[in-house]
PDB file of all heavy atoms in Angstrom:
ATOM      1  N   LEU R 399     -89.520 163.270 -93.006  1.00  0.00           N
ATOM      2  CA  LEU R 399     -90.732 162.934 -92.276  1.00  0.00           C
ATOM      3  C   LEU R 399     -90.416 161.926 -91.186  1.00  0.00           C
ATOM      4  O   LEU R 399     -89.855 160.858 -91.457  1.00  0.00           O
ATOM      5  CB  LEU R 399     -91.791 162.366 -93.224  1.00  0.00           C
ATOM      6  CG  LEU R 399     -92.277 163.306 -94.332  1.00  0.00           C
ATOM      7  CD1 LEU R 399     -93.263 162.580 -95.226  1.00  0.00           C
ATOM      8  CD2 LEU R 399     -92.903 164.560 -93.740  1.00  0.00           C
ATOM      9  N   GLU R 400     -90.778 162.247 -89.973  1.00  0.00           N
ATOM     10  CA  GLU R 400     -90.478 161.383 -88.823  1.00  0.00           C
ATOM     11  C   GLU R 400     -91.026 159.968 -89.011  1.00  0.00           C
ATOM     12  O   GLU R 400     -90.378 158.986 -88.669  1.00  0.00           O
ATOM     13  CB  GLU R 400     -91.048 162.047 -87.559  1.00  0.00           C
ATOM     14  CG  GLU R 400     -91.249 161.155 -86.365  1.00  0.00           C
ATOM     15  CD  GLU R 400     -92.676 160.630 -86.296  1.00  0.00           C
ATOM     16  OE1 GLU R 400     -93.571 161.301 -86.808  1.00  0.00           O
ATOM     17  OE2 GLU R 400     -92.839 159.545 -85.738  1.00  0.00           O
ATOM     18  N   LYS R 401     -92.194 159.844 -89.626  1.00  0.00           N
ATOM     19  CA  LYS R 401     -92.819 158.526 -89.789  1.00  0.00           C
ATOM     20  C   LYS R 401     -91.997 157.596 -90.670  1.00  0.00           C
ATOM     21  O   LYS R 401     -92.099 156.368 -90.566  1.00  0.00           O
ATOM     22  CB  LYS R 401     -94.232 158.672 -90.360  1.00  0.00           C
ATOM     23  CG  LYS R 401     -94.305 159.184 -91.783  1.00  0.00           C
ATOM     24  CD  LYS R 401     -95.745 159.277 -92.269  1.00  0.00           C
ATOM     25  CE  LYS R 401     -95.811 159.815 -93.688  1.00  0.00           C
ATOM     26  NZ  LYS R 401     -95.176 158.896 -94.654  1.00  0.00           N
ATOM     27  N   ASP R 402     -91.147 158.162 -91.541  1.00  0.00           N
ATOM     28  CA  ASP R 402     -90.337 157.333 -92.428  1.00  0.00           C
ATOM     29  C   ASP R 402     -89.170 156.666 -91.707  1.00  0.00           C
ATOM     30  O   ASP R 402     -88.479 155.827 -92.293  1.00  0.00           O
ATOM     31  CB  ASP R 402     -89.796 158.177 -93.591  1.00  0.00           C
ATOM     32  CG  ASP R 402     -90.894 158.602 -94.554  1.00  0.00           C
ATOM     33  OD1 ASP R 402     -91.953 157.937 -94.559  1.00  0.00           O
ATOM     34  OD2 ASP R 402     -90.705 159.593 -95.274  1.00  0.00           O
ATOM     35  N   PHE R 403     -88.963 157.024 -90.441  1.00  0.00           N
ATOM     36  CA  PHE R 403     -87.857 156.459 -89.677  1.00  0.00           C
ATOM     37  C   PHE R 403     -88.333 155.586 -88.522  1.00  0.00           C
ATOM     38  O   PHE R 403     -87.538 155.148 -87.702  1.00  0.00           O
ATOM     39  CB  PHE R 403     -86.952 157.577 -89.165  1.00  0.00           C
ATOM     40  CG  PHE R 403     -86.385 158.410 -90.281  1.00  0.00           C
ATOM     41  CD1 PHE R 403     -86.959 159.613 -90.626  1.00  0.00           C
ATOM     42  CD2 PHE R 403     -85.304 157.951 -91.013  1.00  0.00           C
ATOM     43  CE1 PHE R 403     -86.459 160.370 -91.668  1.00  0.00           C
ATOM     44  CE2 PHE R 403     -84.799 158.697 -92.053  1.00  0.00           C
ATOM     45  CZ  PHE R 403     -85.365 159.916 -92.389  1.00  0.00           C
ATOM     46  N   VAL R 404     -89.643 155.342 -88.469  1.00  0.00           N
ATOM     47  CA  VAL R 404     -90.175 154.375 -87.508  1.00  0.00           C
ATOM     48  C   VAL R 404     -89.971 152.993 -88.112  1.00  0.00           C
ATOM     49  O   VAL R 404     -90.458 152.710 -89.205  1.00  0.00           O
ATOM     50  CB  VAL R 404     -91.671 154.619 -87.236  1.00  0.00           C
ATOM     51  CG1 VAL R 404     -92.229 153.530 -86.330  1.00  0.00           C
ATOM     52  CG2 VAL R 404     -91.876 155.994 -86.613  1.00  0.00           C
ATOM     53  N   PRO R 405     -89.233 152.101 -87.446  1.00  0.00           N
ATOM     54  CA  PRO R 405     -88.936 150.791 -88.038  1.00  0.00           C
ATOM     55  C   PRO R 405     -90.195 149.961 -88.253  1.00  0.00           C
ATOM     56  O   PRO R 405     -91.176 150.077 -87.512  1.00  0.00           O
ATOM     57  CB  PRO R 405     -88.000 150.136 -87.012  1.00  0.00           C
ATOM     58  CG  PRO R 405     -88.273 150.851 -85.732  1.00  0.00           C
ATOM     59  CD  PRO R 405     -88.643 152.255 -86.101  1.00  0.00           C
ATOM     60  N   THR R 406     -90.154 149.078 -89.246  1.00  0.00           N
ATOM     61  CA  THR R 406     -91.330 148.275 -89.566  1.00  0.00           C
ATOM     62  C   THR R 406     -91.683 147.302 -88.446  1.00  0.00           C
ATOM     63  O   THR R 406     -92.828 146.897 -88.328  1.00  0.00           O
ATOM     64  CB  THR R 406     -91.114 147.485 -90.866  1.00  0.00           C
ATOM     65  OG1 THR R 406     -89.939 146.675 -90.744  1.00  0.00           O
ATOM     66  CG2 THR R 406     -90.960 148.416 -92.049  1.00  0.00           C
ATOM     67  N   TYR R 407     -90.704 146.910 -87.617  1.00  0.00           N
ATOM     68  CA  TYR R 407     -91.055 146.010 -86.521  1.00  0.00           C
ATOM     69  C   TYR R 407     -91.935 146.702 -85.487  1.00  0.00           C
ATOM     70  O   TYR R 407     -92.571 146.049 -84.661  1.00  0.00           O
ATOM     71  CB  TYR R 407     -89.809 145.387 -85.872  1.00  0.00           C
ATOM     72  CG  TYR R 407     -88.837 146.359 -85.242  1.00  0.00           C
ATOM     73  CD1 TYR R 407     -89.117 146.985 -84.031  1.00  0.00           C
ATOM     74  CD2 TYR R 407     -87.612 146.625 -85.835  1.00  0.00           C
ATOM     75  CE1 TYR R 407     -88.235 147.857 -83.447  1.00  0.00           C
ATOM     76  CE2 TYR R 407     -86.711 147.486 -85.250  1.00  0.00           C
ATOM     77  CZ  TYR R 407     -87.023 148.109 -84.056  1.00  0.00           C
ATOM     78  OH  TYR R 407     -86.132 148.979 -83.482  1.00  0.00           O
ATOM     79  N   ILE R 408     -92.000 148.059 -85.552  1.00  0.00           N
ATOM     80  CA  ILE R 408     -92.946 148.814 -84.726  1.00  0.00           C
ATOM     81  C   ILE R 408     -94.213 149.102 -85.517  1.00  0.00           C
ATOM     82  O   ILE R 408     -95.324 148.796 -85.078  1.00  0.00           O
ATOM     83  CB  ILE R 408     -92.320 150.133 -84.232  1.00  0.00           C
ATOM     84  CG1 ILE R 408     -91.183 149.863 -83.236  1.00  0.00           C
ATOM     85  CG2 ILE R 408     -93.384 151.019 -83.582  1.00  0.00           C
ATOM     86  CD1 ILE R 408     -91.631 149.332 -81.896  1.00  0.00           C
ATOM     87  N   SER R 409     -94.070 149.691 -86.697  1.00  0.00           N
ATOM     88  CA  SER R 409     -95.249 150.111 -87.463  1.00  0.00           C
ATOM     89  C   SER R 409     -96.122 148.931 -87.879  1.00  0.00           C
ATOM     90  O   SER R 409     -97.346 149.046 -87.949  1.00  0.00           O
ATOM     91  CB  SER R 409     -94.813 150.905 -88.698  1.00  0.00           C
ATOM     92  OG  SER R 409     -93.987 150.114 -89.545  1.00  0.00           O
TER      93      SER R 409
END
Side-chain angles (χ1 to χ4, degrees):
L399 298 177
E400 161 265 333
K401 67 179 179 65
D402 290 339
F403 301 98
V404 175
T406 56
Y407 61 74
I408 292 290
S409 60

